[in-house]
Amino acid sequence: MENETQSVVIQRAVEAVREAVPGAQPTLGIVLGSGLGGLVDGIEIAGTVGYDRIPGFRTSTVEGHEGRLVIGTLQGVPVVAMQGRVHLYEGYPASEVVFPIRVMVRLGATRLIVTNAAGGVNPDFDEKEIMLISDHLNLTGTNPLLGPNDMALGPRFPDMTDPYDADLRQVAREVAESIELKLREGVYAGLLGPSYETPAEVRMLGRLGADAVGMSTVLEVIAARHMGASVLGLSCISNKGAGLAAGPLSHDEVKAAGAAVQEDFIALVSKIVARLG
Ligand code: HPA
């Protein structure tokens, strides 16, 4: 294992997926965040593969996160969707957190839609709104590209000027307008977690330019950009950040908000995918 390059390990996972779902040729990858897994109901499923059956994949330890790849077509577009993801706070290194992203890109997904549940930092944002991610702050303190660079995956120092593709964002805005969905837009701050922020930290994040905060996504987007894939990011604002609303935060609240926006979210993503097809 030690002498193997990352791309060799990724290739083995790609082959395992192709063996489980023959003919899988997705062009679009979708990462479904907490409470947003219902999108798979709209997928005409060709096959699913549990993460435990894919070499190199880790399984999530978090309740509310399933762990399987769903392969099929959504609005006629060949897709691979991650139902469940693993997080840094579960103890996995950044390179393992992003491994499924690399496998989806190698399977053929040159475009990715990455979703998450997030706390609102911008005081104007209400719970159950959807935010288009315009940019991010990687405040996790780590990076999936640490260590020797595998040039077969991407460059040593990848550009991050356009982490969230401008054309894809424009498509998302147009689709939201066409279905009369209020779409917020802003900067996502990715933190390590798993404790939620303190009120002082939420105020700090606001001063740093963040509009929403969560515990995922930023590492995945770095890995995707490293490999040259373009990314659309959507956050479900599940709650106001700590200190911006009365009462404590809970994972149950996050899941309930995900369930409540699911319908809008599914409509938005399905129509975006249809436009991309
Ligand atoms: N903070 C961090 N992560 C989150 C939050 C939050 O308030 N809500 C959902 N995920």
Side-chain angles (χ1 to χ4, degrees), residues 117-119 196-197 213-215 238-239 249 254:
Y196 289 118
E197 300 69 39
V213 57
M215 307 171 192
S238 51
N239 55 278
L249 306 185
V254 171

Side-chain angles (χ1 to χ4, degrees), residues 213-233:
V213 57
M215 307 171 192
S216 67
T217 304
V218 294
L219 304 177
E220 296 163 354
V221 173
I222 291 169
R225 296 302 300 137
H226 181 232
M227 297 177 79
S230 34
V231 179
L232 178 73

Side-chain angles (χ1 to χ4, degrees), residues 237-273:
I237 305 298
S238 51
N239 55 278
K240 282 177 166 282
L244 293 178
L249 306 185
S250 74
H251 185 55
D252 286 342
E253 181 188 2
V254 171
K255 284 191 293 183
V261 295
Q262 189 116 247
E263 205 178 310
D264 284 345
F265 176 80
I266 290 171
L268 177 68
V269 175
S270 310
K271 291 210 160 61
I272 290 171
V273 172

Side-chain angles (χ1 to χ4, degrees), residues 23-244:
Q25 288 286 355
T27 57
L28 176 73
I30 305 176
V31 184
L32 296 166
S34 300
L36 301 173
L39 183 79
V40 300
D41 295 342
I43 298 179
E44 215 166 289
I45 297 178
T48 64
V49 200
Y51 293 165
D52 56 348
R53 289 167 51 209
I54 311 174
F57 271 53
R58 299 285 169 254
T59 47
S60 177
T61 57
V62 189
E63 189 208 338
H65 286 263
E66 290 175 68
R68 59 176 192 164
L69 285 186
V70 177
I71 292 160
T73 56
L74 178 61
Q75 302 286 327
V77 178
V79 298
V80 51
M82 282 172 65
Q83 203 172 18
R85 57 150 70 89
V86 298
H87 303 80
L88 271 182
Y89 61 71
E90 295 177 73
Y92 300 120
S95 57
E96 292 182 13
V97 169
V98 305
F99 186 79
I101 297 290
R102 296 197 178 286
V103 172
M104 292 200 297
V105 176
R106 272 289 177 272
L107 275 168
T110 53
R111 294 193 283 204
L112 297 172
I113 300 179
V114 181
T115 70
N116 58 52
V121 171
N122 185 324
D124 292 342
F125 289 6
D126 283 319
E127 56 186 48
K128 306 189 180 89
E129 290 186 327
I130 299 175
M131 184 187 89
L132 176 61
I133 305 177
S134 57
D135 202 342
H136 77 216
L137 299 168
N138 173 16
L139 299 177
T140 62
T142 189
N143 192 295
L145 312 183
L146 288 182
N149 184 56
D150 184 349
M151 281 301 289
L153 298 179
R156 172 75 286 187
F157 300 108
D159 174 54
M160 289 295 288
T161 311
D162 295 307
Y164 301 88
D165 186 78
D167 293 338
L168 293 178
R169 279 190 285 146
Q170 185 54 28
V171 169
R173 288 186 206 106
E174 288 170 16
V175 167
E177 204 184 321
S178 76
I179 59 172
E180 293 176 11
L181 176 79
K182 179 175 181 184
L183 185 63
R184 299 292 198 163
E185 185 158 351
V187 173
Y188 174 90
L191 274 64
L192 179 60
S195 47
Y196 289 118
E197 300 69 39
T198 64
E201 286 163 348
V202 169
R203 289 194 296 275
M204 172 191 76
L205 293 169
R207 292 194 181 117
L208 291 177
D211 295 289
V213 57
M215 307 171 192
S216 67
T217 304
V218 294
L219 304 177
E220 296 163 354
V221 173
I222 291 169
R225 296 302 300 137
H226 181 232
M227 297 177 79
S230 34
V231 179
L232 178 73
L234 295 167
S235 291
C236 158
I237 305 298
S238 51
N239 55 278
K240 282 177 166 282
L244 293 178

